[in-house]
Coordinates of all heavy atoms in Angstrom, one line a residue:
M1 N 2.6 -16.8 -46.1 CA 1.6 -16.6 -45.1 C 2.0 -17.4 -43.8 O 1.8 -16.8 -42.7 CB 0.2 -17.2 -45.6 CG -0.6 -16.1 -46.4 SD -1.0 -14.7 -45.4 CE -2.6 -15.2 -44.7
K2 N 2.4 -18.6 -43.9 CA 2.7 -19.4 -42.7 C 3.8 -18.7 -41.9 O 3.8 -18.7 -40.7 CB 3.2 -20.8 -43.2 CG 2.0 -21.8 -43.1 CD 2.6 -23.2 -43.2 CE 1.5 -24.3 -43.1 NZ 2.0 -25.6 -43.3
T3 N 4.9 -18.2 -42.6 CA 6.0 -17.6 -41.8 C 5.5 -16.4 -41.0 O 5.9 -16.3 -39.8 CB 7.1 -17.1 -42.8 OG1 6.8 -17.7 -44.1 CG2 8.4 -17.5 -42.4
T4 N 4.6 -15.6 -41.6 CA 4.1 -14.4 -40.8 C 3.4 -14.9 -39.5 O 3.6 -14.3 -38.5 CB 3.1 -13.6 -41.7 OG1 3.4 -13.9 -43.1 CG2 3.3 -12.2 -41.4
L5 N 2.6 -16.0 -39.7 CA 1.9 -16.5 -38.5 C 2.8 -16.9 -37.4 O 2.6 -16.6 -36.3 CB 1.0 -17.7 -39.0 CG -0.1 -18.1 -38.0 CD1 -1.2 -17.0 -38.0 CD2 -0.7 -19.4 -38.4
I6 N 3.9 -17.7 -37.8 CA 4.8 -18.2 -36.9 C 5.5 -17.0 -36.2 O 5.7 -17.0 -34.9 CB 5.9 -19.1 -37.5 CG1 5.2 -20.4 -37.9 CG2 7.1 -19.4 -36.6 CD1 6.0 -21.3 -38.9
I7 N 5.9 -16.0 -36.9 CA 6.5 -14.8 -36.3 C 5.6 -14.1 -35.3 O 6.0 -13.8 -34.2 CB 7.0 -13.8 -37.4 CG1 8.2 -14.5 -38.2 CG2 7.4 -12.5 -36.8 CD1 8.6 -13.7 -39.4
C8 N 4.3 -14.1 -35.7 CA 3.3 -13.5 -34.8 C 3.2 -14.2 -33.5 O 3.2 -13.6 -32.4 CB 1.9 -13.5 -35.5 SG 1.7 -12.0 -36.5
I9 N 3.1 -15.5 -33.6 CA 3.0 -16.4 -32.4 C 4.2 -16.2 -31.5 O 4.1 -16.0 -30.3 CB 2.8 -17.9 -32.8 CG1 1.4 -18.0 -33.4 CG2 2.9 -18.8 -31.5 CD1 1.2 -19.3 -34.1
F10 N 5.4 -16.2 -32.1 CA 6.6 -16.0 -31.4 C 6.7 -14.7 -30.7 O 7.0 -14.6 -29.5 CB 7.8 -16.1 -32.4 CG 9.1 -16.0 -31.7 CD1 9.6 -17.1 -30.9 CD2 9.9 -14.9 -31.7 CE1 10.9 -17.0 -30.3 CE2 11.1 -14.8 -31.1 CZ 11.6 -15.8 -30.4
A11 N 6.2 -13.6 -31.4 CA 6.3 -12.3 -30.8 C 5.3 -12.2 -29.6 O 5.6 -11.6 -28.6 CB 5.9 -11.3 -31.9
L12 N 4.1 -12.9 -29.8 CA 3.1 -12.8 -28.7 C 3.6 -13.5 -27.4 O 3.5 -13.0 -26.3 CB 1.8 -13.5 -29.2 CG 0.9 -12.6 -30.0 CD1 -0.3 -13.4 -30.5 CD2 0.3 -11.5 -29.1
S13 N 4.2 -14.7 -27.6 CA 4.6 -15.5 -26.4 C 5.8 -14.8 -25.8 O 5.9 -14.8 -24.5 CB 5.0 -16.9 -26.8 OG 5.9 -16.9 -27.9
F14 N 6.7 -14.2 -26.6 CA 7.8 -13.4 -26.0 C 7.3 -12.2 -25.2 O 7.7 -11.9 -24.1 CB 8.7 -12.9 -27.1 CG 10.0 -12.3 -26.6 CD1 11.0 -13.0 -26.1 CD2 10.1 -10.9 -26.6 CE1 12.1 -12.4 -25.6 CE2 11.2 -10.3 -26.1 CZ 12.3 -11.1 -25.6
G15 N 6.2 -11.6 -25.8 CA 5.6 -10.4 -25.1 C 5.0 -10.8 -23.8 O 5.1 -10.1 -22.8
A16 N 4.4 -12.0 -23.7 CA 3.7 -12.5 -22.5 C 4.8 -12.8 -21.4 O 4.6 -12.4 -20.3 CB 2.9 -13.7 -22.8
L17 N 5.9 -13.4 -21.8 CA 7.0 -13.7 -20.9 C 7.5 -12.4 -20.3 O 7.7 -12.3 -19.1 CB 8.1 -14.4 -21.6 CG 8.0 -15.9 -21.8 CD1 9.1 -16.4 -22.6 CD2 8.0 -16.6 -20.4
Y18 N 7.7 -11.4 -21.1 CA 8.2 -10.1 -20.7 C 7.3 -9.4 -19.7 O 7.6 -8.9 -18.7 CB 8.5 -9.2 -21.9 CG 9.2 -7.9 -21.5 CD1 10.5 -7.9 -21.2 CD2 8.5 -6.7 -21.4 CE1 11.2 -6.8 -20.8 CE2 9.1 -5.6 -21.1 CZ 10.5 -5.6 -20.8 OH 11.1 -4.4 -20.4
A19 N 6.0 -9.5 -20.0 CA 4.9 -8.8 -19.2 C 4.9 -9.5 -17.8 O 4.8 -8.9 -16.8 CB 3.6 -9.0 -19.8
N20 N 5.0 -10.9 -17.8 CA 5.0 -11.6 -16.5 C 6.2 -11.2 -15.6 O 6.0 -11.0 -14.4 CB 5.1 -13.1 -16.8 CG 3.7 -13.7 -17.1 OD1 2.7 -13.1 -16.8 ND2 3.7 -14.9 -17.6
S21 N 7.4 -11.1 -16.2 CA 8.5 -10.7 -15.3 C 8.4 -9.3 -14.8 O 8.8 -9.1 -13.7 CB 9.8 -10.9 -16.1 OG 9.9 -10.0 -17.2
S22 N 7.8 -8.4 -15.5 CA 7.7 -7.0 -15.0 C 6.7 -6.9 -13.9 O 6.8 -6.2 -13.0 CB 7.4 -6.1 -16.2 OG 6.2 -6.3 -16.7
T23 N 5.6 -7.7 -14.0 CA 4.5 -7.6 -12.9 C 5.1 -8.2 -11.7 O 4.7 -7.8 -10.6 CB 3.2 -8.3 -13.3 OG1 3.5 -9.6 -13.9 CG2 2.4 -7.5 -14.3
E24 N 6.0 -9.2 -11.8 CA 6.6 -9.8 -10.6 C 7.4 -8.8 -9.8 O 7.3 -8.7 -8.6 CB 7.5 -11.0 -11.0 CG 7.1 -12.3 -10.4 CD 7.9 -13.4 -11.0 OE1 9.1 -13.4 -10.8 OE2 7.3 -14.3 -11.6
Q25 N 8.1 -8.0 -10.5 CA 8.9 -6.9 -9.9 C 8.0 -5.9 -9.2 O 8.3 -5.4 -8.1 CB 9.8 -6.2 -11.0 CG 11.1 -7.0 -11.3 CD 11.9 -6.4 -12.4 OE1 11.4 -5.5 -13.1 NE2 13.1 -6.8 -12.6
N26 N 6.9 -5.6 -9.8 CA 6.0 -4.6 -9.3 C 5.4 -5.1 -7.9 O 5.3 -4.3 -7.0 CB 4.8 -4.3 -10.2 CG 5.2 -3.3 -11.3 OD1 6.2 -2.6 -11.2 ND2 4.4 -3.3 -12.4
S27 N 5.0 -6.4 -7.8 CA 4.4 -6.9 -6.6 C 5.4 -6.9 -5.5 O 5.1 -6.7 -4.3 CB 3.8 -8.3 -6.8 OG 4.8 -9.2 -7.2
K28 N 6.7 -7.1 -5.8 CA 7.7 -7.1 -4.8 C 7.9 -5.7 -4.2 O 8.0 -5.5 -3.0 CB 9.1 -7.5 -5.4 CG 9.3 -9.0 -5.2 CD 10.6 -9.4 -5.9 CE 10.7 -10.9 -6.1 NZ 11.8 -11.3 -6.9
A29 N 7.8 -4.7 -5.0 CA 7.9 -3.3 -4.6 C 6.8 -2.9 -3.7 O 6.9 -2.2 -2.7 CB 7.9 -2.3 -5.8
K30 N 5.5 -3.4 -3.9 CA 4.4 -3.1 -3.1 C 4.5 -3.6 -1.7 O 4.1 -3.0 -0.8 CB 3.1 -3.7 -3.7 CG 2.5 -2.8 -4.8 CD 1.3 -3.4 -5.4 CE 0.9 -2.7 -6.6 NZ -0.1 -3.4 -7.4
V31 N 5.1 -4.8 -1.6 CA 5.3 -5.4 -0.2 C 6.2 -4.6 0.6 O 5.9 -4.3 1.8 CB 5.9 -6.9 -0.4 CG1 6.3 -7.4 1.0 CG2 4.9 -7.8 -1.0
A32 N 7.2 -4.0 0.0 CA 8.2 -3.2 0.8 C 7.6 -1.9 1.3 O 8.0 -1.3 2.2 CB 9.4 -2.9 0.0
D33 N 6.5 -1.4 0.6 CA 6.0 -0.1 0.9 C 4.5 -0.3 1.3 O 3.6 0.1 0.5 CB 6.1 0.8 -0.4 CG 6.1 2.2 0.0 OD1 6.2 2.5 1.2 OD2 6.0 3.1 -0.9
S34 N 4.2 -0.9 2.4 CA 2.9 -1.2 2.8 C 2.2 0.0 3.3 O 2.8 1.0 3.7 CB 2.8 -2.3 3.8 OG 3.5 -2.0 5.0
V35 N 0.8 -0.1 3.4 CA 0.0 1.1 3.7 C -1.0 0.7 4.8 O -1.5 -0.4 4.9 CB -0.8 1.5 2.4 CG1 -2.0 2.3 2.7 CG2 0.2 2.2 1.4
K36 N -1.2 1.7 5.8 CA -2.2 1.5 6.8 C -3.2 2.7 6.7 O -2.9 3.7 6.1 CB -1.5 1.6 8.2 CG -0.9 0.2 8.6 CD -0.5 0.4 10.0 CE 0.1 -1.0 10.6 NZ 0.6 -0.8 11.9
I37 N -4.3 2.5 7.4 CA -5.4 3.6 7.3 C -5.2 4.5 8.5 O -5.1 4.1 9.7 CB -6.8 2.9 7.4 CG1 -7.0 1.9 6.3 CG2 -7.9 4.0 7.3 CD1 -7.0 2.5 4.9
D38 N -5.2 5.8 8.2 CA -5.2 6.9 9.2 C -6.5 6.8 10.0 O -7.6 7.0 9.3 CB -5.0 8.2 8.5 CG -5.0 9.4 9.4 OD1 -5.7 9.4 10.5 OD2 -4.4 10.4 9.1
P39 N -6.5 6.5 11.3 CA -7.8 6.3 12.0 C -8.6 7.6 12.1 O -9.8 7.6 12.3 CB -7.4 5.8 13.4 CG -6.0 6.3 13.5 CD -5.4 6.3 12.2
V40 N -8.0 8.8 11.9 CA -8.7 10.1 12.1 C -9.4 10.4 10.8 O -10.6 10.7 10.8 CB -7.7 11.2 12.5 CG1 -8.4 12.5 12.6 CG2 -7.0 10.8 13.8
C41 N -8.8 10.5 9.7 CA -9.4 10.9 8.4 C -9.6 9.7 7.4 O -10.1 10.0 6.3 CB -8.6 12.0 7.8 SG -7.0 11.4 7.2
K42 N -9.2 8.5 7.8 CA -9.4 7.3 7.0 C -8.6 7.3 5.7 O -8.9 6.7 4.7 CB -10.9 7.1 6.7 CG -11.8 7.2 7.9 CD -11.6 6.1 8.9 CE -12.5 6.2 10.1 NZ -12.0 5.5 11.2
M43 N -7.6 8.1 5.6 CA -6.7 8.2 4.5 C -5.7 7.0 4.5 O -5.3 6.6 5.6 CB -5.9 9.5 4.4 CG -6.2 10.4 3.3 SD -5.3 11.9 3.4 CE -3.7 11.3 3.0
K44 N -5.2 6.6 3.3 CA -4.2 5.6 3.3 C -2.8 6.2 3.5 O -2.5 7.2 2.8 CB -4.2 4.8 2.0 CG -5.3 3.8 1.9 CD -5.3 3.1 0.5 CE -6.5 2.2 0.4 NZ -6.6 1.6 -0.9
V45 N -2.0 5.7 4.5 CA -0.7 6.3 4.8 C 0.3 5.2 4.7 O 0.1 4.1 5.2 CB -0.8 7.0 6.2 CG1 0.6 7.6 6.5 CG2 -1.9 8.0 6.3
K46 N 1.5 5.5 4.1 CA 2.6 4.6 4.1 C 3.1 4.4 5.5 O 3.3 5.3 6.2 CB 3.7 5.1 3.2 CG 3.3 5.1 1.7 CD 4.4 5.7 0.8 CE 3.9 5.7 -0.6 NZ 4.9 6.5 -1.4
T47 N 3.5 3.1 5.8 CA 4.0 2.8 7.1 C 5.4 3.3 7.3 O 5.9 3.2 8.4 CB 3.9 1.3 7.4 OG1 4.6 0.6 6.3 CG2 2.5 0.8 7.5
S48 N 6.0 3.8 6.3 CA 7.3 4.4 6.4 C 7.3 5.8 7.0 O 8.3 6.4 7.2 CB 8.0 4.4 5.0 OG 7.2 5.1 4.1
T49 N 6.1 6.3 7.3 CA 6.0 7.7 7.8 C 6.6 7.8 9.3 O 6.7 6.8 10.0 CB 4.5 8.1 7.9 OG1 4.4 9.4 8.4 CG2 3.7 7.2 8.7
N50 N 6.9 9.0 9.7 CA 7.4 9.2 11.0 C 6.2 9.5 12.0 O 6.4 9.5 13.2 CB 8.3 10.4 11.1 CG 9.7 10.1 10.4 OD1 10.2 9.0 10.5 ND2 10.2 11.1 9.7
L51 N 5.1 9.8 11.4 CA 3.9 10.2 12.2 C 3.2 8.9 12.7 O 2.3 8.4 12.0 CB 3.0 11.1 11.5 CG 3.6 12.5 11.2 CD1 2.9 13.1 10.0 CD2 3.6 13.4 12.4
K52 N 3.6 8.4 13.8 CA 3.0 7.1 14.3 C 2.6 7.3 15.8 O 3.3 8.1 16.5 CB 4.0 6.0 14.2 CG 4.2 5.5 12.8 CD 5.2 4.4 12.8 CE 5.6 4.0 11.4 NZ 6.7 3.0 11.4
S53 N 1.6 6.6 16.3 CA 1.3 6.5 17.7 C 1.0 5.1 18.0 O 0.4 4.4 17.2 CB 0.1 7.4 18.0 OG 0.4 8.7 18.2
T54 N 1.3 4.7 19.2 CA 1.0 3.4 19.7 C -0.1 3.5 20.8 O 0.1 4.2 21.8 CB 2.2 2.6 20.2 OG1 3.2 2.7 19.2 CG2 1.9 1.2 20.5
Y55 N -1.2 2.8 20.6 CA -2.3 2.9 21.6 C -2.8 1.4 21.8 O -3.1 0.8 20.8 CB -3.4 3.8 21.1 CG -4.5 3.9 22.1 CD1 -4.4 4.6 23.3 CD2 -5.8 3.3 21.8 CE1 -5.4 4.7 24.2 CE2 -6.8 3.3 22.7 CZ -6.6 4.0 23.9 OH -7.7 4.1 24.8
Q56 N -2.8 1.0 23.1 CA -3.2 -0.4 23.4 C -2.5 -1.4 22.5 O -3.1 -2.3 21.9 CB -4.7 -0.5 23.3 CG -5.4 0.3 24.4 CD -6.9 0.1 24.4 OE1 -7.5 -0.3 23.4 NE2 -7.6 0.4 25.5
K57 N -1.1 -1.2 22.5 CA -0.3 -2.2 21.7 C -0.5 -2.2 20.2 O 0.0 -3.1 19.5 CB -0.3 -3.6 22.3 CG 0.3 -3.7 23.7 CD 0.1 -5.0 24.3 CE 0.6 -5.1 25.8 NZ 0.3 -6.4 26.4
Q58 N -1.3 -1.3 19.7 CA -1.6 -1.2 18.3 C -0.9 0.0 17.7 O -0.9 1.1 18.4 CB -3.1 -1.1 18.0 CG -3.8 -2.5 17.9 CD -3.5 -3.1 16.5 OE1 -3.6 -2.5 15.5 NE2 -3.1 -4.4 16.6
E59 N -0.3 -0.1 16.6 CA 0.4 1.0 16.0 C -0.5 1.7 15.0 O -1.1 1.0 14.1 CB 1.7 0.6 15.3 CG 2.6 1.7 14.9 CD 3.9 1.3 14.2 OE1 3.8 0.6 13.2 OE2 4.9 1.5 14.8
Y60 N -0.6 3.0 15.0 CA -1.4 3.8 14.1 C -0.5 4.8 13.3 O 0.4 5.3 13.9 CB -2.6 4.5 14.8 CG -3.5 3.5 15.5 CD1 -3.3 3.2 16.9 CD2 -4.5 2.9 14.8 CE1 -4.1 2.3 17.5 CE2 -5.3 1.9 15.5 CZ -5.1 1.7 16.8 OH -5.9 0.7 17.4
V61 N -0.8 5.0 12.1 CA -0.1 6.0 11.3 C -1.0 7.1 10.9 O -2.2 6.9 10.8 CB 0.5 5.3 10.1 CG1 1.6 4.3 10.4 CG2 -0.5 4.7 9.1
F62 N -0.4 8.3 10.7 CA -1.2 9.5 10.4 C -0.6 10.2 9.1 O 0.6 10.2 8.9 CB -1.2 10.4 11.6 CG -1.6 9.7 12.8 CD1 -0.7 9.2 13.7 CD2 -3.0 9.6 13.1 CE1 -1.1 8.5 14.8 CE2 -3.4 8.8 14.2 CZ -2.5 8.3 15.1
C63 N -1.6 10.9 8.4 CA -1.2 11.6 7.2 C -0.5 12.9 7.6 O 0.3 13.4 6.8 CB -2.4 11.9 6.4 SG -3.6 13.0 7.2
G64 N -0.7 13.4 8.8 CA -0.1 14.7 9.1 C -0.1 14.9 10.6 O -0.7 14.1 11.4
K65 N 0.6 16.0 11.1 CA 0.7 16.2 12.5 C -0.7 16.5 13.1 O -0.9 16.1 14.3 CB 1.5 17.5 12.7 CG 3.0 17.2 12.8 CD 3.8 18.4 13.2 CE 5.3 18.2 13.1 NZ 6.1 19.4 13.4
G66 N -1.6 17.2 12.4 CA -2.9 17.5 12.9 C -3.7 16.2 13.3 O -4.3 16.2 14.4
C67 N -3.6 15.2 12.4 CA -4.3 14.0 12.7 C -3.7 13.3 13.9 O -4.4 12.7 14.7 CB -4.3 13.1 11.5 SG -5.5 13.6 10.2
K68 N -2.4 13.2 14.0 CA -1.7 12.6 15.1 C -2.1 13.2 16.5 O -2.4 12.6 17.4 CB -0.2 12.6 14.9 CG 0.5 11.8 16.0 CD 2.0 11.8 15.8 CE 2.9 11.6 17.0 NZ 2.4 10.8 18.1
L69 N -2.1 14.6 16.5 CA -2.5 15.3 17.7 C -3.9 15.0 18.1 O -4.2 14.8 19.3 CB -2.3 16.8 17.5 CG -0.8 17.3 17.5 CD1 -0.8 18.8 17.1 CD2 -0.2 17.1 18.9
K70 N -4.8 15.0 17.2 CA -6.2 14.7 17.5 C -6.3 13.3 18.1 O -7.1 13.1 19.0 CB -7.1 14.8 16.2 CG -7.5 16.2 15.7 CD -8.4 16.0 14.5 CE -8.6 17.4 13.8 NZ -9.3 17.2 12.6
F71 N -5.6 12.3 17.5 CA -5.7 11.0 18.0 C -5.1 10.9 19.4 O -5.7 10.2 20.2 CB -5.0 10.0 17.0 CG -5.0 8.6 17.4 CD1 -6.1 7.8 17.0 CD2 -4.0 8.0 18.1 CE1 -6.2 6.5 17.4 CE2 -4.0 6.7 18.4 CZ -5.1 5.9 18.1
D72 N -3.9 11.5 19.6 CA -3.3 11.4 20.9 C -4.2 12.0 22.0 O -4.1 11.5 23.1 CB -1.9 12.1 20.8 CG -0.9 11.4 20.0 OD1 -1.1 10.1 19.8 OD2 0.1 11.9 19.6
K73 N -4.9 13.1 21.7 CA -5.8 13.7 22.7 C -6.9 12.8 23.1 O -7.3 12.7 24.2 CB -6.4 15.0 22.1 CG -5.6 16.2 22.4 CD -6.4 17.5 22.0 CE -5.7 18.7 22.3 NZ -6.4 19.9 21.8
N74 N -7.5 12.1 22.1 CA -8.7 11.3 22.4 C -8.8 10.1 21.4 O -9.6 10.0 20.5 CB -9.9 12.1 22.2 CG -11.2 11.5 22.8 OD1 -11.1 10.3 23.4 ND2 -12.3 12.1 22.7
P75 N -7.9 9.1 21.7 CA -7.8 7.9 20.8 C -9.1 7.1 20.7 O -9.5 6.7 19.6 CB -6.7 7.0 21.4 CG -6.1 7.8 22.5 CD -6.9 9.0 22.8
E76 N -9.8 7.0 21.8 CA -11.1 6.2 21.8 C -12.1 6.7 20.8 O -12.8 6.0 20.1 CB -11.7 6.3 23.2 CG -10.9 5.6 24.3 CD -11.0 4.1 24.2 OE1 -11.9 3.6 23.5 OE2 -10.1 3.4 24.7
Q77 N -12.1 8.1 20.6 CA -13.1 8.7 19.7 C -12.9 8.1 18.3 O -13.9 8.0 17.5 CB -12.9 10.2 19.7 CG -14.0 10.9 19.0 CD -13.7 12.4 18.9 OE1 -13.1 13.0 19.8 NE2 -14.0 13.0 17.8
Y78 N -11.7 7.9 17.9 CA -11.4 7.5 16.5 C -11.4 6.0 16.3 O -11.4 5.5 15.2 CB -10.1 8.1 16.0 CG -10.2 9.6 16.1 CD1 -9.5 10.3 17.1 CD2 -10.9 10.3 15.2 CE1 -9.6 11.7 17.2 CE2 -11.0 11.7 15.3 CZ -10.3 12.4 16.3 OH -10.4 13.7 16.4
L79 N -11.4 5.2 17.4 CA -11.3 3.8 17.3 C -12.8 3.2 17.3 O -13.0 2.1 16.9 CB -10.5 3.1 18.4 CG -9.0 3.6 18.4 CD1 -8.2 3.0 19.5 CD2 -8.4 3.2 17.0
K80 N -13.7 4.0 17.9 CA -15.1 3.6 17.8 C -15.6 3.7 16.4 O -15.2 4.6 15.7 CB -15.9 4.4 18.8 CG -15.9 4.0 20.2 CD -16.9 4.8 21.0 CE -16.2 5.3 22.3 NZ -16.9 6.4 22.9
K81 N -16.6 2.9 16.1 CA -17.2 3.0 14.8 C -18.6 3.6 14.8 O -19.3 3.5 15.8 CB -17.3 1.7 14.1 CG -15.9 1.3 13.5 CD -16.0 0.1 12.5 CE -14.7 -0.1 11.9 NZ -14.7 -1.2 11.0
Ligands
LIG101 ZN1 -5.2 12.2 8.4

């Protein structure tokens, strides 16, 4: 009985160590791929997109060409709440 218990504890602690190291890798990947909100449709868009506009020194990202065009025509409309 005792041996089984020791093996169980060993397996659990090893599993916890392994889980910790894999979550660390995941959080690093998230930092590299950050997300901003599309001001037109409020969708989350990756900042790696090519669809960007700068207005009043602020950079905005868009999910598609349609949203970018709408924003460029009348940015104020989408920045007001
Ligand atoms: Zn959009």
Side-chain angles (χ1 to χ4, degrees):
M1 274 300 270
K2 261 192 182 175
T3 347
T4 339
L5 195 69
I6 290 167
I7 291 171
C8 272
I9 290 166
F10 182 76
L12 277 172
S13 53
F14 186 76
L17 276 174
Y18 185 77
N20 277 343
S21 64
S22 66
T23 44
E24 241 173 61
Q25 278 175 348
N26 279 342
S27 60
K28 269 178 194 170
K30 273 178 193 168
V31 170
D33 205 11
S34 59
V35 161
K36 277 187 178 179
I37 304 292
D38 179 331
V40 180
C41 66
K42 312 294 180 199
M43 243 179 75
K44 284 179 183 174
V45 183
K46 288 176 184 174
T47 51
S48 53
T49 180
N50 290 323
L51 293 159
K52 291 178 185 176
S53 274
T54 310
Y55 180 71
Q56 289 182 342
K57 291 177 186 175
Q58 272 282 313
E59 191 181 61
Y60 300 96
V61 295
F62 306 95
C63 65
K65 274 185 185 175
C67 282
K68 184 176 154 37
L69 283 172
K70 279 184 194 173
F71 182 83
D72 287 343
K73 265 189 181 178
N74 194 1
E76 292 286 343
Q77 187 186 328
Y78 300 103
L79 300 178
K80 274 186 227 161
K81 278 194 175 176

